[in-house]
Amino acid sequence: MAEERATDLPPAVRWLDDRVGIAKLGKKNLRKVFPDHWSFMLGEIALYSFIILILTGIFLTFWFKPSMAEVEYQGSYSLLKGLPMSEAYESTLRISFDIRGGLLMRQIHHWAAVLFVAAMSVHLLRIFFTGAFRKPRELNWLIGIVMLFLGIVEGFIGYGLPDDLLSGTGLRITEGLVLASPVVGTWLSFFIFGGEFPGDDFVSRFYTVHVLLIPGLLLGLITLHLILVVYHKHTQFPGPGRTEKNVVGYPLMPVYMAKAGGFFFVVFGVLAVMGALLQINPVWLYGPYNPAEVTAGSQPDWYMAWLDGAVRLMPGIESEFWGVTISWNVVVPALLMPPLFIGFVALYPFLEQWVTRDNREHHLLDRPRNQPTRTGIGVAIIVFYGVLWLNSGNDLIATHFDLSINTITWVCRFAIFLGPLAAFWITRRIALSLQRGDRERVLHGLETGVIVRLPSGEYVERHAPISKYEAYALSSPERQTPLELPPATDENGVRAPHNRREKLRAKLSAFYFTDSNR
C-alpha cells in the first residue's frame, strides 16, 4: 500500500521521497495540530512582517547606495536641486521620487519595521501574562527577548541609513551615549563611525549590518523558535478535553495552512494601504545631515523613545575619578538601566520558578487573573516603560499643551517610582476581584435581571446556569499555596545549611501567593 501511495506522488516529489523520505516526514508534520485562539496570531503578525521586510528590503537594495561620497543633487525634487549631499541621501531621494513604486516600497518597509517590533512586543506580553514561558519553554522566551532586541537595533540602524538630518540627529545622540562609556567610549565611537563623527564609513558599515548580519541572525533565531514550538507542542488555554498531554485544535494541513496563508495577505494588504496612505519618514523635508544643525522637535521611532526618555529624566550629575569624567546623567539611564531592565525581563521565568519551586512542565496557559502577582508585575513593567516613553516627548507635550517642561520632567521623575508600585497594587486587587467574580458565577450562575418574589415576601434575582464549557474554564485553576519556611535546624539540632536563602525564598513565595485563589 505504501508503494501504491508513493506512485501517486508527482515525479519530482517521488524522486525526492526515494532519497530523503519526504512523504513520511511530511505526513507526520503536516497533520500536526495547532490550537485556535486569536492571541496566537500576534506571533504570526511578527513573522509576516519580517517576511515583508525581507521582500521590500530586497527591492530597495537595487537602488540604494551605501556611500558617504559627496554628490550634487540633480533629481526631480526641485527644492533640493544643486545641494551637496551624500550618495546615500541622494539615492534615497531617487527611490522616493524617480523609481516607480519606490516611495511605496520605502513606506511599506518602514511601517513593516514598526509593526514587526510592535507585534513581537505584544506577543511577548501575551506569553508573559499567560505563563507560556514556563518549563519547558524558557529557552524560547530567551530567544524571543534576543529577537526583540535585534529587531530594535535593526530598526534603529535602518533608520539611520538615509543620512538625512533627522536620522543624523539620532546618530549624534547615539554617539554621545557611546562616548559616555567609561574608558572605552572614544575607542567604540571611532570603531562604529570609522573616525571622528560622523566619519566617512558609518553608512557602509551600518548597511552591511542591516542587510546581512542582523537579518541572518533573526532568520536563524526565528527558525530555531519555530522548531522549538513544534518540538514542545503549542500551548493552549484550559477547556474541556484539553490537558497537559494533548493539543486540541486544527491540523496544519489544510486548515491551519489555509488560514495562515490568508492572514499573511491580510497583513500584507494592511501594510500596503498604510504605505500608500500614511506618510512616514519624509526625508526630503529634513534635508541632508549636517553636524552643525539639528531637527527641531525630532523624535525617534516609538521603540527607541523609552531610552531617550530615560536620558531626559536623569538629573545632570558628573564625577571625576583619576582624571576620567563619569557623566552619570548618561551612564545610569543609557548604559546601566537598559541592561538591568532587559535582564530582569529575560530572567523572570527562572526567578518565578525559583520562588514558586514549580519544576513541572506546563502546556496549559494561565488566565492572567489567576496569577495576580505575575499580572501585577507585568503591568508595573508596562507602566515603567510607558513613563519613560511619555517623557521622551516632554518638549512636544510642553509646547502643544502650554505646560512647563520642568513640571513634566519632575512629574515623570516621581511617576517612574510611584507609578509601577501603584499599578502593581491596583492590578493585583483587580485580578483578585475578578477571581471572586468567577467563583460567584460558577456557584450562582448568570445574573438575568429578573426579580422574583418568594413566598416569604423576599425579593431575589433569578440566576441562569452557565454552560459546562464556561464552568470548566472558570473552575479549572489549581489552588496554589506558598512554600513553608524550612526548619532552622535538622533532627540533630545542627543548623541547616543555606537557611538564609530558604527563608528569602519562603518570604518571596508568601508574597507571590498572597490571597491567590482564595
Side-chain angles (χ1 to χ4, degrees), residues 1 54 86 90 136 192 219 284 321 360 374 394 399 480:
M1 291 295 291
I54 296 295
S86 66
E90 189 272 340
I192 293 172
L219 191 59
W284 54 89
F321 301 99
R360 299 168 297 167
R374 181 201 299 153
N394 56 5
T399 56
Q480 298 168 313

Side-chain angles (χ1 to χ4, degrees), residues 23-239:
K24 183 179 179 180
L25 183 67
K27 181 180 179 181
K28 178 182 178 181
N29 289 283
L30 291 177
R31 298 299 296 174
K32 189 170 183 65
V33 175
F34 286 87
D36 188 36
H37 193 271
W38 66 267
S39 65
F40 299 148
M41 291 183 176
L42 298 170
E44 295 181 39
I45 294 175
L47 175 61
Y48 301 152
S49 301
F50 180 74
I51 295 173
I52 295 167
L53 279 169
I54 296 295
L55 296 176
T56 53
I58 291 173
F59 177 91
L60 296 174
T61 57
F62 292 148
W63 289 279
F64 181 74
K65 294 182 180 179
S67 171
M68 292 288 290
E70 187 173 295
V71 296
E72 186 177 292
Y73 181 67
Q74 295 298 333
S76 57
Y77 188 65
S78 59
L79 295 179
L80 295 178
K81 242 177 198 178
L83 197 68
M85 59 184 64
S86 66
E87 282 192 316
Y89 185 61
E90 189 272 340
S91 62
T92 305
L93 293 176
R94 186 155 57 92
I95 291 172
S96 302
F97 293 110
D98 302 320
I99 303 300
R100 189 181 297 274
L103 180 58
L104 177 63
M105 286 297 175
R106 266 196 67 236
Q107 299 206 143
I108 292 177
H109 189 75
H110 203 134
W111 279 120
V114 172
L115 182 62
F116 177 55
V117 178
M120 281 196 295
S121 301
V122 180
H123 179 57
L124 285 170
L125 287 175
R126 195 275 302 174
I127 292 173
F128 181 89
F129 284 115
T130 59
F133 54 77
R134 293 172 295 176
K135 184 181 179 180
R137 297 177 178 82
E138 301 97 332
L139 179 59
N140 239 354
W141 170 261
L142 294 177
I143 290 173
I145 296 295
V146 174
M147 285 196 294
L148 178 61
F149 175 76
L150 289 177
I152 291 173
V153 174
E154 174 78 340
F156 177 75
I157 290 176
Y159 185 82
L161 287 179
D163 195 35
D164 60 283
L165 185 57
L166 182 59
S167 66
T169 301
L171 289 175
R172 171 61 93 178
I173 296 173
T174 303
E175 188 228 7
L177 303 182
V178 172
L179 287 175
S181 303
V183 183
V184 298
T186 304
W187 182 87
L188 282 175
S189 177
F190 272 65
F191 174 76
I192 293 172
F193 296 101
E196 191 72 34
F197 182 85
D200 297 323
D201 300 325
F202 86 86
V203 170
S204 58
R205 294 185 180 189
F206 280 23
Y207 181 75
T208 303
V209 174
H210 183 73
V211 304
L212 289 178
L213 180 59
I214 295 183
L217 293 174
L218 283 171
L219 191 59
L221 290 173
I222 289 172
T223 303
L224 179 58
H225 171 74
L226 295 177
I227 290 174
L228 289 176
V229 168
V230 173
Y231 178 74
H232 291 144
K233 74 185 182 184
H234 209 294
T235 55
Q236 58 185 349
F237 285 95

Side-chain angles (χ1 to χ4, degrees), residues 363-439:
H363 303 288
L364 291 177
L365 299 173
D366 291 325
R367 297 178 75 202
R369 67 184 62 181
N370 293 330
Q371 295 291 341
T373 301
R374 181 201 299 153
T375 304
I377 292 173
V379 175
I381 291 173
I382 293 173
V383 170
F384 178 82
Y385 177 93
V387 171
L388 296 179
W389 181 83
L390 186 69
N391 192 60
S392 69
N394 56 5
D395 52 341
L396 295 181
I397 295 174
T399 56
H400 281 69
F401 296 97
D402 195 23
L403 299 173
S404 167
I405 192 171
N406 293 327
T407 301
I408 296 171
T409 302
W410 274 105
V411 168
C412 289
R413 284 174 179 172
F414 282 100
I416 199 65
F417 296 104
L418 301 179
L421 295 175
F424 172 81
W425 185 81
I426 293 172
T427 302
R428 194 175 181 183
R429 301 314 304 174
I430 291 175
L432 292 170
S433 299
L434 292 174
Q435 283 186 25
R436 287 192 286 270
D438 287 344
R439 284 192 287 274

